[in-house]
Amino acid sequence: SLGDDRLAEESFRRALQLNSRDADTMQNLGWYLCQRKRFDEAHTQFEQALAVPRYRDSARTHLTQGICYFQAGQLEPAERSLVRASELDPGSASAAFTLADVLYRRNEYERARFYVRKVNGVSEVATAQSLWLAARIEHRLGQTRVRQELGQQLRRRFPGSREATAFERGQFDE
């Protein structure tokens, strides 16, 4: 967070020298590497974390790995990781939203609809991004009425958002 990448990476590596079985540190190092677009190294860390026996936070690591694959443009492995994250933590809005986005980009609109509805079905969890994704999915499925209802929600709940503006402009395919 302080912008000293060299020291941050050294600290992660030192922590792993002190405890080579610390799956949380592996997961955090993987996320750090992913943010720096060092995707192969990141996935190595995620896989090592997941291989640690009795690791309690594998849902988080699968989610993080899925997001990292998604950022790398690798939609198939992203889907696998995110499905696993959803299985391990069915209430995870992050896993459901990201999985819906991956499925949307893979043109699997019905499946994407299922996952984005899990997010938008809980008012406190729905975001401008999740409502916008749902509207784009319904647009692709030709569901004009549902798309309009989602647009109304988006304008009402997030009136100044980039997503509400895109909806107003009809920029569903951009």
Side-chain angles (χ1 to χ4, degrees), residues 2-3 6 15-16 22 25 29 33 35-36 42 54 60 64 66 69 92 102-103 105-106 109 116 119 123 128 151 164:
L2 298 175
R6 183 188 56 74
L16 287 173
D22 185 349
T25 300
L29 175 57
L33 294 167
Q35 290 174 312
R36 279 136 193 90
R54 295 182 301 281
R60 178 178 63 120
T64 307
Y69 276 128
S92 171
V102 166
L103 294 168
R105 292 168 195 266
R106 294 189 71 202
Y109 305 121
V116 82
V119 177
S123 181

Side-chain angles (χ1 to χ4, degrees), residues 10-28:
E10 283 177 14
S11 295
F12 280 122
R13 303 282 181 198
R14 178 73 179 130
L16 287 173
Q17 284 177 345
L18 295 172
N19 182 358
S20 64
R21 305 297 292 163
D22 185 349
D24 289 322
T25 300
M26 292 172 200
Q27 193 274 331
N28 291 328

Side-chain angles (χ1 to χ4, degrees), residues 23-99:
D24 289 322
T25 300
M26 292 172 200
Q27 193 274 331
N28 291 328
L29 175 57
W31 181 241
Y32 168 86
L33 294 167
C34 182
Q35 290 174 312
R36 279 136 193 90
K37 300 188 182 333
R38 293 165 57 186
F39 300 118
D40 291 339
E41 293 172 83
H43 294 299
T44 297
Q45 291 300 316
F46 296 137
E47 291 302 323
Q48 288 176 353
L50 292 168
V52 172
R54 295 182 301 281
Y55 177 43
R56 294 183 198 159
D57 212 359
S58 60
R60 178 178 63 120
T61 300
H62 281 290
L63 170 62
T64 307
Q65 183 176 42
I67 292 169
C68 191
Y69 276 128
F70 184 48
Q71 290 176 355
Q74 298 175 315
L75 299 182
E76 207 170 297
E79 179 183 345
R80 281 193 304 272
S81 292
L82 293 164
V83 164
R84 185 67 181 135
S86 278
E87 291 169 351
L88 293 169
D89 183 3
S92 171
S94 296
F97 172 76
T98 309
L99 181 53

Side-chain angles (χ1 to χ4, degrees), residues 148 150-160 164 167-168:
Q148 288 306 114
L150 288 161
Q152 287 172 356
Q153 268 189 73
L154 189 55
R155 287 189 301 263
R156 185 179 68 251
R157 294 186 61 201
F158 307 99
F167 185 89
E168 290 295 326

Side-chain angles (χ1 to χ4, degrees), residues 125-144:
V125 176
T127 64
Q129 295 84 10
S130 65
L131 291 169
W132 174 233
L133 178 58
R136 291 169 45 221
I137 291 166
E138 297 303 335
H139 176 76
R140 290 289 185 159
L141 291 170
Q143 298 298 318
T144 307

